[in-house]
Amino acid sequence: MVNRPCRLFQYGLYSKILEALTTTDYSVVGFTLNKSNHKVALILHEVYAEHSNEFVISVASANVLLLNEVANSKFCGNLARDSLVGWVDDDHVLIVELVGHTNVITKVNTVYGYRDILLHQTFPLGSVSFTVLDIEKTKVLFTYSSFNPINDTCQQGLAYFDLNNLKDIHIVTKPRQNDLLDVRVEEFSLDGSKYRGILIKPRHKPSTCIVAIIYGKKPVVITFDKLVFNLTQLGLSVLLVDYSRCLGALYEPPGKSLQFLGENDVKRIHEAVLETKTRYDYKTVVVLGQSYGGFLAAHLISRYPETYKAGGLINPVIDFTTLAQETDAPDWCFTETGHEYDFSFPPLPDPALREKWSAASPVHLVHEVRCPVIIAVGEYDVRVPCTQGTYYYKYLRSRGVRCSLLKYPDEHLLDKPEVFADCFLNIAMLFLSVA
């Protein structure tokens, strides 16, 4: 479980004895047994790991509680949950992680705690995102999406590499150039800080409208998911921007207030949108955000009503004051604003903290919204309950804003096929109507 105290137990089928391998100080995200089944490698979050980005890799032997802590690593936000640990042999584990846009592969000696960084660079395939599927001794199997700006080619496929020769990538599936999309890596700068975005355009269709898609705390990588692909096939261009929070503590020091971080994120995205609109002479801009991305999208349509002509909000965070009382992760509201959270005795927010939450929330700018908005919520969402989007819908309607509310029998991601299809079609139709 990510960011929740939980324990890993072992149960003897013959002895009938149940023993704890971890304490409640951590959250067990993943574990794997070595080949002889006498050691287990654990990925342990500290309780606030999803927010403070602290991570621990530990090894336990049978009947021994956390025999030795062998490695400490810093990860980027939610990417930690996508990292993988696997056994190379009975004494060595391999940790594969993605930090910002850098791929890091570390080999750890579980006996002495020695660490050997095998790879710390942009992946040999070029500008690429990859997802590790499995580790078998010295071989790592992964899927990838790559972009080569030199010859403007986009490829996806299945591949593996051997730890003994990291530069030799073995492609399992024949890579195919994506001739439907024109992908460009864009560079931006704000207040002396450089960051990047990815612009994805339909290659064979003229496009005058750009969709700024903001995922919730997800870094921008070369990706062709169904949302991006379907929008481009309708003749819309898509812009993905690396905002500060999605890149984690490596890019923004922890402990700053949410109000500051929210301001910085909004400014980064808006500056990237304006730059891209000018560079490629787009006529219309719309925005689509999910979860924390919906929080930022709601800020954008209210702060810059002259720029954004439509908004799509999927399970958006609208008001932190009420969210802290409804979500299954109230600690997120506290830790994002630099406050500690005690799981054994949940604190009540004081008036000063409530004021900070209110100032950071887009709900207090609802009167500035001018563009049509579609809000999609999952009625079974416990992370960002549907009341967040429902209240925002009522606030907008009461102020005469053209707004629709889509409520689905789904959870936070709205990823059931029938739910995604209906949600996408409604939002796409809105975007096309203003393009």
Side-chain angles (χ1 to χ4, degrees), residues 119-341:
L119 179 72
H120 191 284
Q121 62 186 39
T122 301
F123 207 68
L125 281 174
S127 182
V128 67
S129 62
F130 75 96
T131 301
V132 175
L133 300 179
D134 195 16
I135 299 173
E136 180 63 28
K137 293 187 176 179
T138 63
K139 290 183 173 58
V140 178
L141 180 68
F142 64 96
T143 58
Y144 69 91
S145 297
S146 67
F147 169 62
N148 188 334
I150 298 177
N151 56 15
D152 194 25
T153 58
C154 306
Q155 296 179 347
Q156 289 179 290
L158 180 67
Y160 72 90
F161 61 87
D162 194 296
L163 295 176
N164 298 320
N165 185 8
L166 290 173
K167 293 184 178 180
D168 190 7
I169 304 296
H170 302 273
I171 307 297
V172 179
T173 57
K174 184 178 179 180
R176 182 180 63 183
Q177 179 174 339
N178 190 323
D179 60 356
L180 298 176
L181 304 176
D182 178 7
V183 182
R184 307 185 181 198
V185 177
E186 302 290 333
E187 300 292 336
F188 307 107
S189 178
L190 179 66
D191 298 331
S193 175
K194 294 183 179 181
Y195 59 106
R196 79 170 195 170
I198 297 174
L199 178 64
I200 306 173
K201 304 164 60 178
R203 189 179 291 275
H204 303 300
K205 296 180 181 179
S207 178
T208 61
C209 179
I210 181 172
V211 183
I213 296 183
I214 315 170
Y215 293 107
K217 286 192 167 183
K218 178 180 178 181
V220 171
V221 293
I222 306 297
T223 179
F224 305 110
D225 60 24
K226 55 184 179 291
L227 177 61
V228 172
F229 185 81
N230 289 336
L231 286 172
T232 55
Q233 295 316 291
L234 293 175
L236 302 171
S237 295
V238 171
L239 178 65
L240 306 173
V241 181
D242 266 342
Y243 59 89
S244 56
R245 283 304 283 161
C246 77
L247 291 175
L250 292 181
Y251 290 80
E252 286 293 339
K256 292 186 177 180
S257 71
L258 178 66
Q259 185 174 1
F260 173 83
L261 291 172
E263 289 281 346
N264 200 31
D265 293 341
V266 170
K267 289 179 180 178
R268 279 191 179 213
I269 295 170
H270 185 61
E271 179 65 24
V273 165
L274 294 181
E275 283 285 334
T276 304
K277 182 182 179 183
T278 302
R279 290 175 189 175
Y280 298 98
D281 196 27
Y282 285 103
K283 305 302 181 185
T284 309
V285 179
V286 297
V287 62
L288 174 60
Q290 182 176 26
S291 191
Y292 179 73
F295 167 89
L296 298 177
H299 268 295
L300 288 168
I301 61 176
S302 56
R303 295 185 180 213
Y304 310 102
E306 71 286 351
T307 300
Y308 301 92
K309 304 307 179 184
L313 310 180
I314 301 176
N315 286 321
V317 174
I318 297 299
D319 183 5
F320 274 91
T321 304
T322 56
L323 179 68
Q325 303 170 17
E326 300 171 335
T327 179
D328 70 331
D331 52 295
W332 184 71
C333 301
F334 284 81
T335 56
E336 286 293 278
T337 47
H339 292 74
E340 294 185 359
Y341 188 87

